[in-house]
Coordinates of all heavy atoms in Angstrom, one line a residue:
D431 N 3.2 56.2 -13.8 CA 4.1 57.4 -13.7 C 4.3 58.1 -15.0 O 4.4 59.4 -15.0 CB 5.5 56.9 -13.1 CG 5.4 56.4 -11.7 OD1 4.4 56.7 -11.0 OD2 6.3 55.7 -11.3
D432 N 4.3 57.4 -16.1 CA 4.5 58.0 -17.4 C 3.3 58.9 -17.7 O 3.5 60.0 -18.2 CB 4.7 57.0 -18.5 CG 6.0 56.2 -18.4 OD1 6.9 56.8 -17.7 OD2 6.1 55.1 -18.9
D433 N 2.1 58.4 -17.4 CA 0.9 59.2 -17.6 C 0.9 60.5 -16.7 O 0.6 61.5 -17.2 CB -0.3 58.4 -17.3 CG -0.5 57.2 -18.3 OD1 0.2 57.3 -19.4 OD2 -1.2 56.2 -18.0
D434 N 1.3 60.3 -15.4 CA 1.4 61.4 -14.5 C 2.4 62.4 -15.0 O 2.2 63.6 -14.9 CB 1.7 60.9 -13.1 CG 0.6 60.1 -12.5 OD1 -0.6 60.2 -13.1 OD2 0.8 59.3 -11.6
D435 N 3.5 61.9 -15.5 CA 4.6 62.8 -15.9 C 4.1 63.7 -17.1 O 4.4 64.9 -17.2 CB 5.8 62.0 -16.3 CG 6.5 61.4 -15.1 OD1 6.2 61.9 -14.0 OD2 7.3 60.5 -15.3
D436 N 3.3 63.0 -18.0 CA 2.8 63.8 -19.1 C 1.9 65.0 -18.6 O 2.0 66.1 -19.2 CB 2.0 62.9 -20.0 CG 3.0 61.9 -20.7 OD1 4.2 62.1 -20.7 OD2 2.5 60.8 -21.2
D437 N 1.1 64.7 -17.6 CA 0.2 65.7 -17.1 C 1.0 66.8 -16.4 O 0.7 68.0 -16.5 CB -0.8 65.1 -16.2 CG -1.7 64.1 -16.9 OD1 -1.8 64.3 -18.2 OD2 -2.3 63.2 -16.3
D438 N 2.0 66.3 -15.6 CA 2.7 67.3 -14.8 C 3.6 68.2 -15.6 O 3.8 69.4 -15.3 CB 3.7 66.6 -13.8 CG 2.8 65.8 -12.7 OD1 1.6 66.1 -12.6 OD2 3.4 64.9 -12.1
D439 N 4.1 67.7 -16.8 CA 5.0 68.5 -17.6 C 4.2 69.7 -18.2 O 4.9 70.7 -18.4 CB 5.5 67.6 -18.8 CG 6.5 66.6 -18.3 OD1 7.0 66.8 -17.2 OD2 6.7 65.6 -19.1
E440 N 2.9 69.6 -18.3 CA 2.2 70.7 -18.8 C 2.0 71.9 -17.8 O 1.9 73.0 -18.2 CB 0.8 70.2 -19.3 CG 0.9 69.2 -20.4 CD -0.5 68.7 -20.7 OE1 -1.5 69.2 -20.1 OE2 -0.6 67.8 -21.6
D441 N 2.0 71.5 -16.5 CA 1.6 72.6 -15.6 C 2.8 72.9 -14.6 O 2.8 74.0 -14.1 CB 0.4 72.1 -14.7 CG -0.8 71.7 -15.5 OD1 -1.0 72.4 -16.6 OD2 -1.5 70.8 -15.2

Side-chain angles (χ1 to χ4, degrees):
D431 291 341
D432 291 341
D433 295 339
D434 293 340
D435 291 341
D436 293 341
D437 295 339
D438 294 341
D439 289 344
E440 297 177 2
D441 302 327

